[in-house]
Amino acid sequence: NQKFQFLVGGYGSSKSYHIALKLILKLLEEKRTALVIREVYDTHRESTFSLLQEIVSDLGIDHVVKCRSSPLALTFRNGSSILFKGLDKPEKLKSINNISMIWIEECSEV
Ligand SMILES: Nc1ncnc2c1ncn2[C@@H]1O[C@H](COP(=O)(O)OP(=O)(O)O)[C@@H](O)[C@H]1O
Ligand SMILES: [Mg+2]
């Protein structure tokens, strides 16, 4: 129920996995738009996007959640979605409608 969660831990301690799974479970429950931020947009594909894609596949919910690769996005059958942006193009962070959750990955970099 916290407004902010700050995950700290060593490499491979499940920070990213934990957040990715939690985000998917929340968006399955409630129609929301979530935003995932990294320092550089292009690094999402092999990290956050890839992880979310893997979890969708592991949960066996490929029919409920579609993973789109250009532009990167996950869209849920209930209207929820996950968008990806990079701080290398901060102007693209403006005017995104209706975001209610933000995951800042590797926030020590930003
Ligand atoms: N609860 C879990 N169940 C299965 N695999 C997990 C779990 N937590 C982490 N992993 C796997 O362990 C690896 C490292 O986790 P990750 O979340 O990337 O760590 P961190 O972000 O803390 O560096 C990833 O490949 C992830 O898929
Ligand atoms: Mg991580």
Side-chain angles (χ1 to χ4, degrees):
N1 294 321
Q2 303 93 333
K3 189 164 182 179
F4 299 99
Q5 294 188 2
F6 187 68
L7 275 69
V8 184
Y11 173 76
S13 61
S14 198
K15 301 180 296 293
S16 304
Y17 183 95
H18 174 91
I19 290 298
L21 177 59
K22 204 165 179 168
L23 203 56
I24 289 172
L25 296 178
K26 187 72 168 176
L27 297 190
L28 285 169
E29 245 172 47
E30 296 172 18
K31 182 183 167 187
R32 284 168 174 264
T33 303
L35 177 64
V36 191
I37 302 282
R38 283 200 63 129
E39 185 186 22
V40 177
Y41 176 80
D42 284 338
T43 58
H44 277 300
R45 191 175 300 277
E46 290 178 332
S47 61
T48 53
F49 180 75
S50 166
L51 179 59
L52 287 160
Q53 212 173 13
E54 185 182 296
I55 293 172
V56 164
S57 167
D58 289 349
L59 293 174
I61 53 169
D62 311 68
H63 57 296
V64 178
V65 184
K66 296 292 168 209
C67 302
R68 189 181 67 193
S69 78
S70 185
L72 296 175
L74 273 72
T75 54
F76 292 60
R77 200 163 58 187
N78 67 357
S80 286
S81 58
I82 303 179
L83 309 177
F84 299 80
K85 299 287 177 192
L87 293 180
D88 51 333
K89 291 186 182 159
E91 66 280 8
K92 297 218 169 155
L93 289 168
K94 295 178 189 170
S95 311
I96 309 168
N97 187 42
N98 205 26
I99 301 291
S100 66
M101 290 194 294
I102 303 176
W103 166 14
I104 305 176
E105 173 67 347
E106 302 288 2
C107 70
S108 58
E109 290 177 356
V110 305

